[in-house]
């Protein structure tokens, strides 16, 4: 799917050093590969060299995280005058760590708000977020919107962690939980707007050949934009 779609930007979570080294080698000529760490498992971002120019990147650590979580922030340029402010993260996992996760989510939204108004801001990843947690921190900031919602909220694309459809995670008993853990948010640049979201879909829905398992226990998200 990755090679066939040729995406301009890829947000990745739970990358390990061996996998990141493979990406660097496999996509050396076509993508800038940016890592959020160099040990354990971490986030990463890939930028297509033919359409985007990397300007800068940096990490914002969550010092109170018990899981070494952070924000990976990448600044890029599309064409001559369209700036992108791209943020990905893997926020604190499990229900028991909701308080820390909400703190991290709030910090991420602050980064979106504080970004230069000339930049289009996109933030997303495995946020482990529940709708109530978004409400608990006051909802989305002004001018920030949920790409799942603004593209039509198709029910078949709602749950990115879905044990009713994805058999990678084994749960005893009849209950099969599912959640919209993975999300993408956008804040448009000041007029004129350069990107318009058109379609929100899920990927990774087919089992790996000769493996009988899916690429991940989460579905991936793919969003198509119109460049204005």
């Amino acid at each position: 799917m990755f090679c066939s779609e040729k995406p301009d930007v890829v947000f990745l979570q739970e990358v390990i050093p061996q996998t990141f080294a493979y990406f660097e080698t496999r996509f050396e000529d076509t993508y800038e590969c940016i890592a959020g760490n160099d040990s354990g498992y971490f986030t990463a971002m890939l930028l297509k060299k033919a359409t985007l120019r990397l300007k800068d990147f940096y990490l914002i650590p969550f010092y109170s995280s018990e899981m070494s979580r952070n924000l990976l922030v990448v600044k890029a340029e599309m064409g001559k005058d369209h700036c992108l402010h791209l943020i990905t993260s893997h926020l604190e996992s499990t229900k028991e760590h909701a308080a820390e996760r909400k703190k991290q989510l709030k910090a991420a939204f602050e980064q979106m708000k504080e970004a230069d108004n000339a930049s289009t801001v996109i933030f997303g990843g495995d946020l482990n977020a529940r709708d109530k947690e978004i409400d608990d921190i006051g909802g989305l900031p002004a001018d920030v919107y949920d790409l799942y919602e603004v593209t039509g909220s198709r029910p078949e694309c709602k749950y990115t962690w879905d044990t009713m459809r994805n058999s990678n995670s084994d749960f005893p008993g009849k209950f099969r939980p599912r959640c919209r853990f993975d999300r993408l948010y956008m804040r448009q640049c000041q007029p004129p707007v350069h990107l318009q979201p058109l379609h929100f879909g899920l990927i990774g829905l087919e089992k790996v050949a000769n493996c009988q398992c899916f690429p991940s226990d989460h579905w991936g998200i793919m969003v198509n934009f119109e460049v204005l």
Side-chain angles (χ1 to χ4, degrees):
M1 174 62 85
F2 179 91
C3 294
S4 63
E5 293 293 340
K6 298 180 174 60
D8 295 288
V9 179
V10 182
F11 290 174
L12 296 165
Q13 298 82 44
E14 297 195 9
V15 179
I16 60 174
Q18 295 91 330
T19 304
F20 186 74
Y22 169 79
F23 288 149
E24 288 185 299
T25 302
R26 175 67 175 80
F27 302 114
E28 179 181 7
D29 297 329
T30 51
Y31 284 90
E32 296 280 2
C33 300
I34 304 126
N37 209 329
D38 58 6
S39 62
Y41 68 88
F42 46 86
T43 60
M45 200 178 299
L46 276 58
L47 302 183
K48 190 176 182 181
K49 293 180 180 180
T51 54
L52 298 172
R53 183 170 66 89
L54 176 63
K55 296 177 66 179
D56 191 18
F57 72 91
Y58 52 91
L59 299 176
I60 299 175
F62 295 131
Y63 291 108
S64 55
S65 171
E66 296 182 22
M67 304 176 186
S68 302
R69 305 296 165 86
N70 58 28
L71 294 177
L72 172 58
V73 183
V74 172
K75 295 183 179 182
E77 196 171 68
M78 182 175 66
K80 294 182 179 179
D81 57 0
H82 186 190
C83 296
L84 297 175
H85 193 102
L86 306 168
I87 309 169
T88 191
S89 189
H90 181 191
L91 300 187
E92 212 82 353
S93 304
T94 75
K95 184 178 179 179
E96 292 73 23
H97 291 88
E100 172 62 24
R101 180 167 53 253
K102 286 188 282 187
K103 191 162 81 170
Q104 295 169 0
L105 190 58
K106 194 168 184 177
F109 286 153
E110 284 298 317
Q111 287 295 313
M112 295 189 76
K113 290 163 54 179
E114 294 171 4
D116 192 308
N117 286 333
S119 296
T120 299
V121 186
I122 299 174
F123 160 59
D126 180 1
L127 308 186
N128 285 303
R130 284 76 165 167
D131 290 340
K132 183 181 182 303
E133 295 173 357
I134 306 294
D135 295 337
D136 287 346
I137 63 171
L140 299 182
D143 301 323
V144 171
Y145 51 89
D146 186 322
L147 288 175
Y148 168 72
E149 294 177 352
V150 299
T151 52
S153 301
R154 292 191 297 143
E156 64 270 27
C157 297
K158 181 174 183 178
Y159 300 110
T160 61
W161 184 74
D162 187 352
T163 63
M164 294 179 69
R165 298 169 64 191
N166 190 317
S167 56
N168 280 21
S169 296
D170 184 30
F171 276 81
K174 295 182 179 180
F175 179 63
R176 295 289 182 267
R178 53 184 184 169
C179 296
R180 191 160 73 97
F181 282 156
D182 306 83
R183 303 182 184 219
L184 280 170
Y185 297 102
M186 184 175 184
R187 191 213 71 184
Q188 291 282 16
C189 62
Q190 63 189 9
V193 170
H194 295 284
L195 284 179
Q196 185 67 36
L198 296 179
H199 177 79
F200 183 106
L202 299 179
I203 58 174
L205 303 175
E206 296 182 2
K207 290 185 176 181
V208 178
N210 303 317
C211 184
Q212 293 305 308
C213 65
F214 294 98
S216 170
D217 62 335
H218 290 234
W219 305 135
I221 293 172
M222 182 171 63
V223 178
N224 296 97
F225 295 88
E226 181 183 8
V227 179
L228 305 175

